[in-house]
Amino acid sequence: MRVLHVITGLGVGGAELQLYELVRRSRHDCEVAALYNAGEVAGMISEAGVPVHDLGMRSNTEPSVLYRLRSLMRSGGFDAVHTHLYRSCVYGRPAARLAGVPVVVATEHSIGQTHLERRRMTTGVRLLYLASERFGDTTVAVSDTVAERLRRWGVPARRIRVVPNGVDFDRVTFDPVARRRTRAELGLSERERVIGVLGRLDPNKRFDLLIEAAAPLLDEHTRVVLVGDGPDRQRLERIAHEHGVSDRVLFAGQRSDVAAVLSSFDLFVACSKQETFGLSVLEALANGLVALYTTCPALEGVDTDRAVEVEGTPERLRAALRDELEAQRPRAQVEQLRTLYGMEAVTERLDSLYEHLLARRGGSSSQTGRAGDLTTGPTTTGVHR
C-alpha cells in the first residue's frame, strides 16, 4: 500500500517523533506531508529514505492548503491517508475524500480534559474537529483515556480504535558513554545527582511544581535539569530565582538526543496536570530510571515499583523526591513495557489497520492495481525533500 501521513509540523515533539519511528518501520510505501515547519524531524525522516513534502502553510486559516493537499494525494496515488494532530486532521481528512483516497485514518495524540494541543476546547474547536471526523474511517486513540474523551466529545465509539504510542526501547537504552559526554556538555560532574525532566516548557507540564518541591533539597550535589523549550521558560526561570536556586536549576534547551539526555539523569519527574499517554515516562523507564509522575495513562494496569505515582502538591512531590534521592536505586528494566509498547508491535497494528480498512472498501493496493481512476502527474504543491 501507499500511505501518506499528514502532520501539522515536523519540529521536535512527541507526535512528530512517533511518526518518524512509524514510517521508518512500516512495511508500506510511506510519504509524509507537513502543513508547515518542516523542521528537524523532517530531516530525520528524509534521512530514513521517506519523502517529505512541505505544504508551506503560513496561517491557521488557509483554505488553499486543502487543494494543495488534494493535488498531492491525487498525484501520489495513495491508498491511505493518515493524519496526525488537530490542524492536519481538519485539512487532511476532507482533502483525502476530495482526492478519492480509499482509506482515511487519524491519530488523536493530545486531547486533554480542557485543552486540545494547547487549544482551549471551545465549541468552535469541537465542532470543527467533529465535522472533519466525518470524512474519516477511523480515529486512533493512543490510550483508553483518549478514547473515552473522544466518545464524550461525540465521536462514535464504532469509529475509534485504541493503538498506543510505541517506544523504541533500543533507541532510548542507557548509554554510559553518552552519559559522560552529555554531562560534560551541560557542565555537570559525575558526583552530582540530577533530577531531570524532558518536554515542552508549557504551563500544563507544571515544571514550576517540580522547582518549588525540589528547591529545599538542592545543594552542591543535587540539581534539577529541564530539557526542552517553550513559552513557559521565562516564568520558570523567575520561579527558580524566587526560590533562590537559579544556580541549581539548569535550563538545557531543546535537544533531540533523548537517550543521551535520559542517560545523564539519575531520577525522572513528570508532573503534568493532564496527559493523554505519558510517552516521556515510558522512555525514562526504558532508560532504566525511576520515574515520579502525577498522571500517566500508559501505566494504568502496569505493576511496577519503578514508576511512583505522586499527588500533585509540592509537599507530596518533595517527600517522594527525598525518598528516591536517599534510596539511590540503580537502573533496572520493566520488561512488561516492551511487550505492551514496543514500536514494532505498534507499527504492525497500524499497518494491519490500513489493510483491513482497504479490504473492507473492496479496494486493492496501488502496488497491485488501484480501485478507481485517480489523476496522476508530478507533485506541484509544497517543497519535496
Side-chain angles (χ1 to χ4, degrees):
M1 291 179 64
R2 281 184 50 73
V3 181
L4 177 68
H5 291 268
V6 183
I7 192 165
T8 301
L10 284 170
V12 175
E16 295 81 0
L17 291 170
Q18 276 290 299
L19 179 57
Y20 163 70
E21 297 292 352
L22 171 62
V23 296
R24 73 191 188 98
R25 285 176 170 79
S26 176
R27 63 172 171 266
H28 298 308
D29 183 7
C30 295
E31 297 188 19
V32 174
L35 298 187
Y36 81 111
N37 186 25
E40 184 174 347
V41 181
M44 294 165 60
I45 292 172
S46 294
E47 289 173 7
V50 177
V52 177
H53 307 267
D54 184 351
L55 275 297
M57 197 171 181
R58 298 183 182 278
S59 68
N60 288 339
T61 306
E62 194 173 324
S64 62
V65 80
L66 186 71
Y67 301 100
R68 297 201 296 276
L69 275 170
R70 182 188 64 176
S71 177
L72 172 62
M73 292 169 183
R74 281 183 169 176
S75 65
F78 295 101
D79 303 292
V81 164
H82 188 160
T83 64
H84 307 259
L85 303 177
Y86 178 83
R87 198 184 310 174
S88 76
C89 289
V90 168
Y91 286 99
R93 289 189 283 203
R97 286 302 181 219
L98 288 171
V101 177
V103 172
V104 183
V105 174
T107 290
E108 185 45 65
H109 296 268
S110 304
I111 182 172
Q113 295 174 343
T114 59
H115 286 72
L116 176 62
E117 298 168 31
R118 299 184 294 279
R119 293 176 177 83
R120 283 207 166 273
M121 290 186 183
T122 63
T123 300
V125 167
R126 177 175 175 270
L127 291 177
L128 189 57
Y129 184 91
L130 291 175
S132 72
E133 191 276 334
R134 291 178 175 271
F135 292 98
D137 294 299
T138 295
T139 297
V140 173
V142 297
S143 67
D144 291 331
T145 299
V146 171
E148 178 56 29
R149 289 171 184 166
L150 287 169
R151 286 191 289 269
R152 289 202 305 265
W153 257 41
V155 178
R158 69 181 184 279
R159 294 160 66 86
I160 300 171
R161 297 283 189 93
V162 177
V163 180
N165 284 323
V167 178
D168 182 345
F169 286 85
D170 294 329
R171 183 178 67 88
V172 295
T173 193
F174 175 68
D175 184 341
V177 175
R179 174 185 172 89
R180 291 191 293 272
R181 182 183 69 248
T182 304
R183 284 200 166 210
E185 292 170 356
L186 297 176
L188 301 169
S189 73
E190 274 301 314
R191 295 188 303 274
E192 291 178 286
R193 296 280 293 167
V194 174
I195 303 166
V197 299
L198 180 65
R200 178 177 169 82
L201 303 188
D202 182 273
N204 177 61
K205 300 296 185 182
R206 291 198 298 184
F207 294 141
D208 54 339
L209 172 62
L210 171 61
I211 294 171
E212 181 179 352
L217 307 177
L218 302 183
D219 54 30
E220 67 272 19
H221 301 299
T222 311
R223 297 185 70 173
V224 167
V225 176
L226 296 92
V227 177
D229 212 343
D232 210 28
R233 176 164 179 163
Q234 287 187 340
R235 186 179 74 92
L236 294 171
E237 290 175 334
R238 185 171 65 252
I239 290 170
H241 176 74
E242 290 169 353
H243 282 83
V245 291
S246 292
D247 60 334
R248 309 309 304 163
V249 176
L250 173 63
F251 292 84
Q254 182 172 289
R255 298 179 64 120
S256 59
D257 51 343
V258 176
V261 166
L262 290 173
S263 295
S264 73
F265 295 167
D266 297 299
L267 176 64
F268 185 84
V269 179
C271 41
S272 297
K273 186 175 183 180
Q274 50 185 295
E275 278 290 351
T276 56
F277 186 71
L279 182 62
S280 65
V281 176
L282 295 186
E283 290 179 332
L285 294 171
N287 192 263
L289 290 161
V290 171
L292 305 181
Y293 70 95
T294 52
T295 179
C296 183
L299 288 177
E300 293 175 5
V302 176
D303 183 18
T304 175
D305 66 351
R306 303 293 299 177
V308 181
E309 186 173 6
V310 182
E311 187 177 334
T313 67
E315 297 75 19
R316 294 296 179 88
L317 181 55
R318 184 178 302 126
L321 287 167
R322 182 181 291 111
D323 289 345
E324 291 300 335
L325 288 171
E326 291 176 354
Q328 297 191 39
R329 289 198 272 172
R331 275 175 158 81
Q333 291 296 312
V334 183
E335 292 303 325
Q336 185 182 0
L337 295 180
R338 187 179 287 267
T339 302
L340 289 172
Y341 299 120
M343 196 68 217
E344 292 77 9
V346 170
T347 303
E348 168 62 29
R349 290 177 66 178
L350 289 172
D351 280 346
S352 296
L353 175 62
Y354 308 145
E355 294 164 2
H356 167 74
L357 292 172
L358 185 63
R360 193 173 71 181
R361 284 189 173 272
S364 58
S365 78
S366 59
Q367 295 169 346
T368 58
R370 282 288 305 276
D373 181 20
L374 299 184
T375 303
T376 59
T379 300
T380 58
T381 60
V383 178
H384 179 270
R385 295 181 177 223

